Amino acid sequence: MDGRTVLVTGGAGGIGREVVTRAVSRGARVAVLDMDAATVDAARRCGAICGVVADVTDAAAVAIAVASAEAELGGLDVLVNGAGWDHPAMFTDTGPDLWQRLVAINYLGVLAVTHAALPALRRSGAGAVVSVASDTGRVGGWGEAVYAGAKAAVVGFSKSLAREEARHGIRVNCVSPSVTETPFQERLEADEVGRRIVEGAVRATPMRRVGQPGEVAEAILFLASPAAGYITGQVLSVNGGVAM
């Protein structure tokens, strides 16, 4: 990653922070985009060049934030779409407000950030986009029907974009984790449905544990690096074997 310029959305916590820390340690210049100014400051303490504040569901704000990050970094080689959110519930207990929020954050946010970043990635000549999907998008998830649908959309979008952007030297891939030990998991376990999701995932996982943020971050950084120079349009699961 030496000398690569990287923008990480959701880079202030969980998997995103691990991506930032590890990319910086390998010589990358990193910018963080997050919606909470306090957590952006925390991410900058991990070595990021800059932090920009934007809600990924606000396309206009995202465009400004991405342009600011590119200016600070002096270009953009890699985009990591790590921002995400979930609220587990049975589908029959949900309604349009929740559906719209889940789709806006987990899918439309990926569209907005990627659209804003593509001109800079094209100028790089060897750009890479890595989006964090979810194994629920591949096999479904009890109590996560809308979230799973949004993550499946990220996979379909990424595969399609990989075909469109290959001629511009841009690779587009996804990393697909299962339950990972992050503050997001802690929030899940505070909810009855979420707790059952986590417990069921561990029981179903051959390795009998949840993932660690660093394990997911390593997969992201591999796909973002020149070592993956002939890999595009792929989904790499980091799931302990729960889905094969």
Side-chain angles (χ1 to χ4, degrees):
M1 298 296 291
D2 193 33
R4 303 278 280 172
T5 52
V6 182
L7 174 62
V8 183
T9 74
I15 294 168
R17 183 173 295 194
E18 281 291 328
V19 172
V20 172
T21 301
R22 292 170 187 243
V24 169
S25 73
R26 294 168 198 184
R29 291 169 52 82
V30 183
V32 171
L33 187 155
D34 213 303
M35 66 182 298
D36 188 325
T39 53
V40 168
D41 289 341
R44 291 184 69 177
R45 290 196 292 273
C46 295
I49 296 296
C50 70
V52 290
V53 179
D55 183 338
V56 295
T57 67
D58 183 341
V62 162
I64 294 170
V66 170
S68 175
E70 181 194 359
E72 289 281 349
L73 292 172
L76 186 60
D77 300 311
V78 176
L79 168 63
V80 177
N81 284 308
W85 180 79
D86 192 12
H87 181 79
M90 297 296 97
F91 181 64
T92 53
D93 296 330
T94 67
D97 288 346
L98 180 59
W99 307 341
Q100 289 168 9
R101 186 176 183 197
L102 285 166
V103 172
I105 295 173
N106 294 294
Y107 179 45
L108 298 181
V110 171
L111 300 188
V113 178
T114 305
H115 190 270
L118 276 174
L121 292 171
R122 285 181 175 184
R123 287 191 289 273
S124 165
V129 179
V130 185
S131 296
V132 179
S134 168
D135 262 14
T136 62
R138 296 176 57 235
V139 299
W142 183 88
E144 297 182 288
V146 181
Y147 175 81
K151 289 299 189 178
V154 170
V155 171
F157 165 70
S158 298
K159 287 178 175 289
S160 300
L161 190 67
R163 293 183 181 277
E164 293 183 8
E165 293 299 321
R167 68 183 185 275
H168 298 293
I170 298 173
R171 297 179 300 103
V172 186
N173 294 287
C174 292
V175 168
S176 181
S178 59
V179 177
T180 306
E181 190 175 289
T182 64
F184 178 70
Q185 181 208 335
E186 294 172 5
R187 291 194 299 274
L188 274 181
E189 292 185 309
D191 173 89
E192 181 182 355
V193 174
R195 184 168 60 253
R196 292 174 67 183
I197 289 171
V198 174
E199 291 171 352
V202 173
R203 285 196 302 271
T205 301
M207 295 183 73
R208 288 296 190 273
R209 65 175 177 85
V210 299
Q212 295 299 310
E215 293 169 323
V216 182
E218 287 295 333
I220 292 169
L221 290 174
F222 164 65
L223 290 174
S225 75
Y230 199 51
I231 299 174
T232 194
Q234 303 303 309
V235 182
L236 176 56
S237 288
V238 184
N239 64 11
V242 67
M244 299 185 187

